[in-house]
Structure formats: structure tokens, C-alpha cells
Amino acid sequence: MEDGIEGIDELLRDRLLIMVRDRSAINVLPHVRPRTGGMVLTGADAPVRCREIRNAFPGTVVAMDLESHTREVATAEAPFGLRTSYGWRSLGLTELNEILDGQRENRASFAVTPTCFIPADETGDATVLKAVITEANRLRREDTVVLLPCSYRWLQGVSLLHLVEQIRTCRHPVALIMQADEDPLKRSRVPEGLRQLCRSCPRLLLWRTDLAAFDAMAHGALGAAVGASAVLRFGVAPRPENGSGGRKPYTVVLVRRLLRYLRVATLQDWFAHIDPWTCDCAVCKGAALTRFTDSDADVLAALQHTVCELYALHDELDSTLPGHEREDWWRQQLADSWEHHRLLAAQTDTEVSFPKVLQAWRRPSPLPVPMTEKPRRQDRSGPS
Ligand SMILES: [Zn+2]
């Protein structure tokens, strides 16, 4: 049994997964590093794609996120559920086991719980979160990651202490999704809260995220899953229309030296009068980052470029020792990014502001939550 627990932790340690819709999986696959990377598939065809990819490339890590969190809110009575062709189904322990077995039968490298969305803790006693962890701890299996799709407010104040406490009691590695109406890291105290969480919980994966994956891994997170498209870079509150897709995305690229995603149209504005920056990744081969149009082929090429650049950055992280060396490396990346922003503004004579999230990451890190610290109820009454 203990071997199994170590097995899944070792499988996930320092791993950078790319979260991608079923229809884009095959196009992303060639750019995923087999040894240090992998994929998390979403969408109705995720099980089929997972089986195909794992049959053809048994060495590639692939898992799936069934996205129950985009469709239903968790309750203490029904923390897990699934949309089926017969409608919504809440899952008891037996059915939950069947769903996890089903993922493994489709050759997923590990199973992921279909957890429903965990809203902000209004009552202050973390009832729903506790129900998720308690039920997951009844699973007698060592191949499963417990998904925690949480409101960003779990990263703030006393809720963070509850979150740390619950993740520490979990028998399985945990994958955290942060939900907000827009980038959750723009909310006050969330970047600090996430760092504190990562430093306090060594079996934490950051899931459905962006470059926060690197800040998290620099601060002790086990691994991360970065979204290939904008909608897969943070959690969304459940809505009936979620998952239907449809909206055509505008073209976005990762600009590694700036540590940020940018619309190609923005880059074209910035580089209207000077030579545009080029990229040496396997997709760009020295071409300009401003070249991408809104055509389907270019949207795909931009995605492949972004995946290449994520792994180039991850190679650097992966070559550092966890702890101070890795934190120093990340601090240097942020300092370089600040310098590139400054230079770019000077060269292009345009306003290039340094994003708030990057500013927050340049600040000193909070200490981990001590093992003994117990969250208190969020009231202001005197000592009892
Ligand atoms: Zn490139």
C-alpha cells in the first residue's frame, strides 16, 4: 500500500502537464516532453483520446478532468457527481470508485476525482471541503488525485488555514483549481495565499492554471497542469452552458522573456516601428512572434509555440534543486522579466506596464502554516 502512495507522488513530482481539449490533444502531443511532461484531457472525447494516446505512447503521462466542477456545486451530501447521457448523477463511494476505475480502464496514468465546485466557505466551518476529503479518504486506492475546484476566497484569511488543514489530512495528492470571474491571482492576498499553501502542503498540484504553475512549483508544489487555452487557465463557476465551447479564441502567445501571455494584436502594436522579437522554439525556428494571424492554422501554431516555451522554462526549473536554489532561479526570472518590460517600453516608446501578478511574485514569500495551527471559526467573539 505504502509503495503505491509513493508511486503516484513520484509520478507527479515536478511534472508539468498540459491541460487541453480533446480535439487539440493530438496537435499538442508532439511538443509534450515525455519524461517531465504529460497531458490532462477535457471534453466528451477525453476517454477515447486518452486510450489512443496511451496505446500509441505508453510512456506519456495522460489523465483526464471530467469537469464536473464546471457544471454543479458540491454539497456536503453530494461532493462528487457526473453529467451522463441520462442527466446529472451524484456519486456515492461505489459509483465514485467505478468512475475512477473507468478512467484507468481508458489507460489514464492516474485517476482524478469528479469533484463538484466548492464555493467560498460562508459558514466558516469548511463543511463541504471536509465532506470532499472525508469521502475521498474512504477510497482504498493509491492511483487517485483528489480534485479541489475552489473559489479563490479559499486562498484568503481563515479559509486558507482550513484548506491547509484539510489537504494535510488527505490520503491522496490533491489538485487545486482556483476559480474567479477573471484571473484569480488578481484578487488581493491570493498570490501570497497560494504560496503559503504550496509551502505548507507538499502533495499539492496546481491545476487548470497559467504561469502560476512555476510560482507554485518554485514554492514546493508537487506539480502542475497548465491550460492550453485561456478558459483552461483558471476555474469557472458552474453554469448550464459550460463545456459547450463555440467561441472562437483570438490568437494568444506566451512571451517567455516577459513571463506572460499576450494577444498577438498587442505585440503587433508594440512592434509596429521596430524589429519584432523572434523565437527559437521548434515551431517558430527564429520567426517573429508577431506573425500569427487569427486563422485556425496560426491559432494552432501559436498554441504549439506556447507549449514549447512552457517546457523550455520548465527544463530550467527542473534542473534546479527544490528549495532555495529553485526559488532563487524563479526570482531571477521575475527580475529579468521586469528588466525586459522596462527595455521594451523604452525601445518602443509605448506604455508596457508590469502586470500586478508579476509584481506580487517579486515580493518576499510567506512562511508555511505551522503544523499545529488550527483554524478558528470566523467570529469576533472573545476567547471561549
Ligand atoms: Zn516559438
Side-chain angles (χ1 to χ4, degrees):
M1 288 285 261
E2 290 302 313
D3 283 354
I5 291 177
E6 257 177 48
I8 189 164
D9 285 78
E10 288 317 310
L11 179 75
L12 296 168
R13 189 172 311 286
D14 293 340
R15 195 171 286 279
L16 185 74
L17 302 164
I18 305 293
M19 185 171 276
V20 62
R21 290 255 174 256
D22 42 16
R23 60 179 174 270
S24 304
I26 300 298
N27 294 316
V28 166
L29 179 65
H31 303 285
V32 169
R33 297 268 203 282
R35 193 181 62 80
T36 58
M39 289 198 287
V40 179
L41 307 182
T42 66
D45 289 336
V48 180
R49 283 296 98 74
C50 180
R51 198 169 59 232
E52 287 170 356
I53 294 169
R54 291 271 296 158
N55 280 336
F57 305 96
T60 300
V61 171
V62 187
M64 49 191 124
D65 180 345
L66 303 177
E67 294 195 297
S68 299
H69 49 92
T70 67
R71 301 193 179 98
E72 277 292 335
V73 175
T75 63
E77 296 72 37
F80 303 104
L82 197 65
R83 187 167 75 176
T84 70
S85 39
Y86 308 104
W88 183 259
R89 231 178 98 199
S90 291
L91 302 171
L93 193 66
T94 307
E95 296 140 318
L96 178 59
N97 255 312
E98 285 169 10
I99 297 299
L100 300 171
D101 286 341
Q103 294 177 25
R104 297 303 307 278
E105 280 157 20
N106 281 307
R107 304 218 57 203
S109 307
F110 56 94
V112 179
T113 60
T115 318
C116 302
F117 174 63
I118 305 169
D121 187 27
E122 303 293 351
T123 55
D125 51 10
T127 315
V128 175
L129 177 62
K130 282 179 187 164
V132 172
I133 302 290
T134 304
E135 191 73 355
N137 279 351
R138 293 173 66 202
L139 293 167
R140 297 288 155 227
R141 50 195 309 149
E142 316 298 340
D143 62 350
T144 299
V145 167
V146 176
L147 192 57
L148 294 184
C150 290
S151 157
Y152 71 93
R153 287 166 63 189
W154 281 97
L155 280 301
Q156 298 172 326
V158 74
S159 288
L160 177 66
L161 300 181
H162 281 297
L163 186 58
V164 168
E165 190 195 26
Q166 287 306 310
I167 292 175
R168 281 175 173 168
T169 61
C170 189
R171 291 183 59 249
H172 315 273
V174 160
L176 177 80
I177 296 178
M178 296 182 293
Q179 171 273 339
D181 293 335
E182 49 159 17
D183 185 355
L185 289 158
K186 287 183 180 166
R187 305 291 179 143
S188 76
R189 290 174 291 130
V190 170
E192 297 82 355
L194 179 61
R195 272 188 179 172
Q196 201 169 16
L197 185 72
C198 293
R199 297 187 73 170
S200 306
C201 302
R203 301 184 76 195
L204 177 85
L205 302 154
L206 192 58
W207 201 253
R208 199 169 168 130
T209 189
D210 54 17
L211 290 171
F214 291 90
D215 196 71
M217 290 167 87
H219 289 86
L222 187 60
V226 173
S229 54
V231 289
L232 294 176
R233 288 187 201 120
F234 58 88
V236 294
R239 283 183 209 103
E241 72 272 23
N242 279 341
S244 53
R247 244 182 332 141
K248 185 171 163 60
Y250 45 76
T251 317
V252 169
V253 291
L254 175 64
V255 182
R256 177 152 62 115
R257 67 181 90 168
L258 297 181
L259 292 181
R260 63 194 282 197
Y261 291 88
L262 283 157
R263 291 181 70 160
V264 172
T266 304
L267 290 176
Q268 288 166 347
D269 283 347
W270 286 350
F271 291 104
H273 304 294
I274 63 166
D275 285 344
W277 285 352
T278 57
C279 175
D280 292 325
C281 82
V283 176
C284 300
K285 299 191 177 83
L289 286 176
T290 49
R291 74 186 186 282
F292 301 101
T293 68
D294 285 338
S295 74
D296 289 349
D298 274 4
V299 170
L300 176 60
L303 167 59
Q304 290 172 325
H305 148 85
T306 294
V307 172
C308 285
E309 290 292 83
L310 285 169
Y311 279 115
L313 194 59
H314 183 250
D315 283 348
E316 289 188 24
L317 177 139
D318 198 46
S319 68
T320 61
L321 288 171
H324 290 304
E325 190 185 321
R326 189 164 290 179
E327 279 183 49
D328 286 347
W329 167 80
W330 181 236
R331 205 168 292 128
Q332 188 60 49
Q333 296 298 310
L334 291 160
D336 293 350
S337 157
W338 186 85
E339 187 62 21
H340 283 302
H341 277 83
R342 200 184 62 79
L343 280 173
L344 184 64
Q347 286 168 2
T348 59
D349 201 22
T350 50
E351 179 130 5
V352 182
S353 60
F354 191 62
K356 265 180 83 170
V357 175
L358 297 181
Q359 284 175 34
W361 287 342
R362 292 198 72 192
R363 293 190 204 114
S365 305
L367 291 172
V369 176
M371 288 302 282
T372 50
E373 193 160 343
K374 281 272 180 191
R376 289 154 190 264
R377 287 186 67 105
Q378 201 166 12
D379 58 29
R380 288 165 195 270
S381 55
S384 51

